[in-house]
Amino acid sequence: MSGLDVLRAFAILGMVWLHFGLTGWGSPAPAGKPADATLAWIQGLLGSRSREIFFLLAGVTVALLTGGTSVRRGRERVIAWKRVAVRAGMLFVLAMVLGELGAWDVQILHYYALWLLLLLPLSVLRVRTLLIIVGVLAAVCPALKIAVDHAGASWGFVPGMGPGLVPKEAVGGFVLLITPDAWLPALQEVVFGLGNVGQDTISALPFLVLGLALGKLDLRKAAIRRRMTVAGAGTAAAALLLSLVSMYPLGAMDKVTAYKNPPAAATAAPGGASAPEGASSAPPSMPKAPWESLVTMGHPGPADKQFGAAESAFMLGTITALLGGLLTLLDKRLWQRLLRPLTAFGSMALTWYFGHFLWLQHLAPISVGAGGPTSRSVLSFALFVAVSLTASLLWRTWLRRGPLEWLVHQAVTIAVPGRDRRHRVAAGYR
């Protein structure tokens, strides 16, 4: 189904846009100058949203690998689950390789490997049951994230997540395997997220389970695609309307804005300027995420997307509608031809996710200021898009799978042989 590949292409391109750190159109913004206002607005609009498409597609992948519309039983289920486990193991190894090649520690391939395994027990449930679970998770998970933020270190395993908090320096690459002291922090980051990271398992759960439910539907039926489009668009519109009413007439936006911009005294790090005589030497406490974050959007709006139930519902609906629309659109031959480069690119998602990090390190190493954050121009992003789309189209003209997709497929079929070949058309890495 080409619509899944095109949706996956959107997810990858959105993540690449964010990772490029774009600050200017023809050239990066000069040192010390703010990024172009339009680009900053687009960065805020995308935020973690492109990643959320990836989250949902992880669920679709597991659904299709474990039987899709029909639940596998007995030996077939054992084979399917083993194949998913091998695929997860391969993704974890590739994540370690990526860590060895650059300055990337815990990133989405680590998460993806865990999520494939996490979803296996849920793959035996019916679509209606899964949708009920999605509704519960969409409300509970953001609330749990806020509760975690309020509890902070008092819960022991749970790290703080307030604005300005960042994880301790992580261990990347294969060194992680021989550094037991880094295992718990890495697991904390994958499960809860630290600081303002773009993904964590708790926030991703509604998207993962929804993807699992959608993958169990017969997506080739026009009626199901229409229902997905209408239901998704309706959910997104309702969530946006509820959030706008809560943010402006009801004042939720003011409280969240105050949380995102705490007074300097509240965020002062220990060891800074000396405290006034007689003042307590204890470090000030960080502000806690207000419960109004649940009904506040991340964009438009100031909320951290991981804290918003309205934000979560909006994106669940938007991605569902987008998937239904793309599946319908790509039934038409004209659109198949027009979107063929995106289809080819999306079918090689793992290869290009891996490759874009190498591109950033070796082919676009432009920085703003000495020791400043890496920054690039839209022109450099457009060059990557042109090269990757063209290369994908040419590659798929002669070969069925991308390089890393072929590697994962070989590992899966060698490790778990079997006559059942339906896993080849799964929405994951082929």
Side-chain angles (χ1 to χ4, degrees):
M1 288 175 282
S2 299
L4 290 169
D5 285 330
V6 173
L7 185 61
R8 192 177 296 108
F10 289 160
I12 291 291
L13 291 175
M15 293 175 69
V16 172
W17 175 282
L18 293 174
H19 292 166
F20 263 64
L22 306 177
T23 59
W25 293 93
S27 59
K33 298 292 184 180
D36 178 87
T38 302
L39 292 177
W41 185 88
I42 296 174
Q43 297 279 67
L45 177 66
L46 292 178
S48 63
R49 288 169 174 169
S50 57
R51 294 186 179 99
E52 288 165 352
I53 300 176
F54 232 0
F55 303 165
L56 186 141
L57 289 174
V60 176
T61 297
V62 173
L64 296 180
L65 287 171
T66 55
T69 56
S70 61
V71 178
R72 298 184 184 181
R73 304 182 186 278
R75 183 174 178 274
E76 282 193 350
R77 177 182 294 176
V78 172
I79 291 175
W81 284 33
K82 285 182 178 179
R83 285 175 171 167
V84 173
V86 173
R87 188 177 296 268
M90 284 296 297
L91 293 180
F92 184 78
V93 170
L94 289 173
M96 297 290 102
V97 172
L98 196 56
E100 291 291 336
L101 295 176
W104 313 291
D105 302 312
V106 176
Q107 30 82 12
I108 201 168
L109 290 183
H110 294 90
Y111 294 85
Y112 215 94
L114 172 66
W115 294 341
L116 293 183
L117 299 177
L118 184 66
L119 289 174
L120 279 179
L122 297 178
S123 66
V124 301
L125 300 178
R126 297 185 177 186
V127 173
R128 181 174 297 180
T129 304
L130 290 171
L131 292 177
I132 292 173
I133 294 174
V134 171
V136 173
L137 291 175
V140 170
C141 288
L144 177 60
K145 293 286 288 185
I146 293 179
V148 166
D149 184 52
H150 281 245
S154 65
W155 282 11
F157 178 79
V158 178
M161 294 182 300
L165 293 180
V166 296
K168 296 179 181 178
E169 185 175 354
V171 177
F174 289 100
V175 177
L176 178 64
L177 301 178
I178 57 174
T179 313
D181 291 345
W183 294 352
L184 182 59
L187 184 59
Q188 285 178 313
E189 183 169 351
V190 170
V191 175
F192 294 101
L194 296 173
N196 295 316
V197 297
Q199 66 268 335
D200 61 84
T201 299
I202 293 177
S203 299
L205 277 175
F207 298 90
L208 296 170
V209 180
L210 178 60
L212 189 61
L214 295 179
K216 286 177 167 288
L217 297 173
D218 189 349
L219 297 178
R220 292 178 173 83
K221 290 185 177 180
I224 289 179
R225 296 173 177 180
R226 286 195 298 269
R227 290 173 189 170
M228 288 172 55
T229 305
V230 172
T235 300
L240 180 60
L241 179 61
L242 171 65
S243 181
L244 292 175
V245 170
S246 300
M247 283 195 298
Y248 296 102
L250 301 183
M253 188 169 182
D254 294 336
K255 293 188 178 181
V256 177
T257 301
Y259 159 74
K260 292 295 294 292
N261 300 279
T267 57
S274 58
E277 185 176 354
S280 172
S281 59
S285 59
M286 295 296 296
K288 304 302 181 183
W291 292 99
E292 286 79 4
S293 298
L294 289 171
V295 292
T296 306
M297 296 290 291
H299 193 91
D304 284 319
K305 295 182 176 67
Q306 60 184 337
F307 291 150
E311 173 74 35
S312 181
F314 172 76
M315 284 308 300
L316 288 167
T318 298
I319 300 171
T320 301
L322 185 59
L323 177 56
L326 285 172
L327 289 171
T328 301
L329 194 66
L330 283 159
D331 274 344
K332 304 182 186 302
R333 189 174 299 275
L334 173 62
W335 285 103
Q336 290 175 4
R337 292 175 179 174
L338 291 175
L339 298 180
R340 189 180 173 196
L342 283 174
T343 303
F345 179 89
S347 71
M348 299 171 58
L350 177 58
T351 294
W352 286 116
Y353 177 81
F354 200 97
H356 94 275
F357 280 114
L358 303 182
W359 179 289
L360 288 175
Q361 185 179 29
H362 299 294
L363 299 179
I366 304 171
S367 297
V368 176
T374 301
S375 172
R376 298 171 184 86
S377 67
V378 173
L379 185 60
S380 66
F381 173 77
L383 178 62
F384 170 82
V385 173
V387 170
S388 59
L389 291 181
T390 303
S392 298
L393 195 57
L394 293 174
W395 184 281
R396 286 299 304 274
T397 300
W398 292 288
L399 298 170
R400 181 176 181 180
R401 297 181 177 87
L404 293 185
E405 287 75 15
W406 177 87
L407 179 64
V408 172
H409 171 76
Q410 291 297 112
V412 170
T413 53
I414 292 173
V416 189
R419 297 179 63 184
D420 188 342
R421 298 186 178 184
R422 279 180 290 176
H423 66 286
R424 294 184 179 180
V425 298
Y429 303 115
R430 297 181 293 176

